[in-house]
Amino acid sequence: MDFRSYYQAAKRTMNSTLSREMQLCTAALGICGEVGEAIAAINSSIDAPNRTVINELGDVCWYITWCMDLFAIDMLHALVPIPQEDVEVYGLAAQLADIVKKIACHQHPITATHKSTIVDILSRLHAWIGEAATWEQASIYDVYTANIDKLNQRFSTDQGFNSAESISRVDTVAIERLTS
């Protein structure tokens, strides 16, 4: 699956019922949370490849795609520095969240500088996903495919996202059972 095909398939499961501001906040917070989950999965898979890493990288990729859609970004940069340290990946996610906070919550206009910075951040995070996938003997294309397969199972209707299927997913039920 190439990126264009992934992008179109991922868009089907984005919650378009939210206001634009809520979609922006959800996408930025999603990147922050999923980056943390992906890094935790990577750090726990040092000794052996872990399918969880691919799934978490797919979740980061999905939120990147949502940001691209919301900011009308049609292409990411191919030749960008790949973050090498966890703190750098977290920093990029935090920088994106700060820009989104200003736009969505403080009502700042989207400037050319904002958009350029967002493209750079998303490009670097996407490059990191590709690099991290290779650590798991996979490729970015494997990440795309695994993520869409998971989303197709979760959201079975042709309508894409719906709250009921989002809430009733098996992994959420298991986590709630463990924490109650």
Side-chain angles (χ1 to χ4, degrees):
M1 174 176 287
D2 66 6
F3 185 74
R4 291 281 172 216
S5 301
Y6 174 75
Y7 181 86
Q8 290 304 315
K11 281 180 63 169
R12 180 184 81 83
T13 60
M14 294 172 188
N15 186 355
S16 60
T17 65
L18 300 173
S19 69
R20 177 171 168 71
E21 289 80 12
M22 285 300 296
Q23 288 185 60
L24 287 168
C25 290
T26 302
L29 290 171
I31 286 175
C32 290
E34 296 299 341
V35 157
E37 290 183 20
I39 289 172
I42 290 166
N43 290 337
S44 70
S45 75
I46 300 295
D47 296 329
N50 186 334
R51 194 73 191 155
T52 302
V53 172
I54 299 303
N55 288 332
E56 296 301 342
L57 292 172
D59 292 343
V60 178
C61 200
W62 186 87
Y63 283 108
I64 288 171
T65 305
W66 199 358
C67 279
M68 288 178 66
D69 189 58
L70 291 167
F71 286 108
I73 297 168
D74 61 358
M75 184 178 292
L76 298 175
H77 300 304
L79 301 174
V80 293
I82 300 171
Q84 297 299 311
E85 302 291 329
D86 294 353
V87 69
E88 188 178 358
V89 179
Y90 286 127
L92 290 169
Q95 186 180 5
L96 175 67
D98 188 58
I99 293 169
V100 167
K101 172 197 69 175
K102 291 173 183 169
I103 293 167
C105 302
H106 299 173
Q107 302 298 304
H108 291 207
I110 300 171
T111 66
T113 302
H114 286 139
K115 191 156 180 180
S116 174
T117 302
I118 291 166
V119 169
D120 181 63
I121 290 167
L122 298 179
S123 296
R124 293 177 68 198
L125 289 172
H126 188 262
W128 171 76
I129 291 167
E131 179 78 8
T134 65
W135 304 333
E136 302 300 319
Q137 289 83 49
S139 72
I140 191 76
Y141 307 108
D142 297 322
V143 171
Y144 299 156
T145 301
N147 188 248
I148 294 304
D149 288 348
K150 179 178 78 173
L151 292 170
N152 285 339
Q153 290 174 2
R154 185 174 297 162
F155 301 109
S156 59
T157 66
D158 289 335
Q159 297 170 353
F161 178 87
N162 72 63
S163 292
E165 289 180 328
S166 177
I167 292 167
S168 69
R169 55 184 245 236
V170 174
D171 53 336
T172 300
V173 172
I175 290 169
E176 289 173 357
R177 197 176 315 118
L178 289 173
T179 59
S180 51

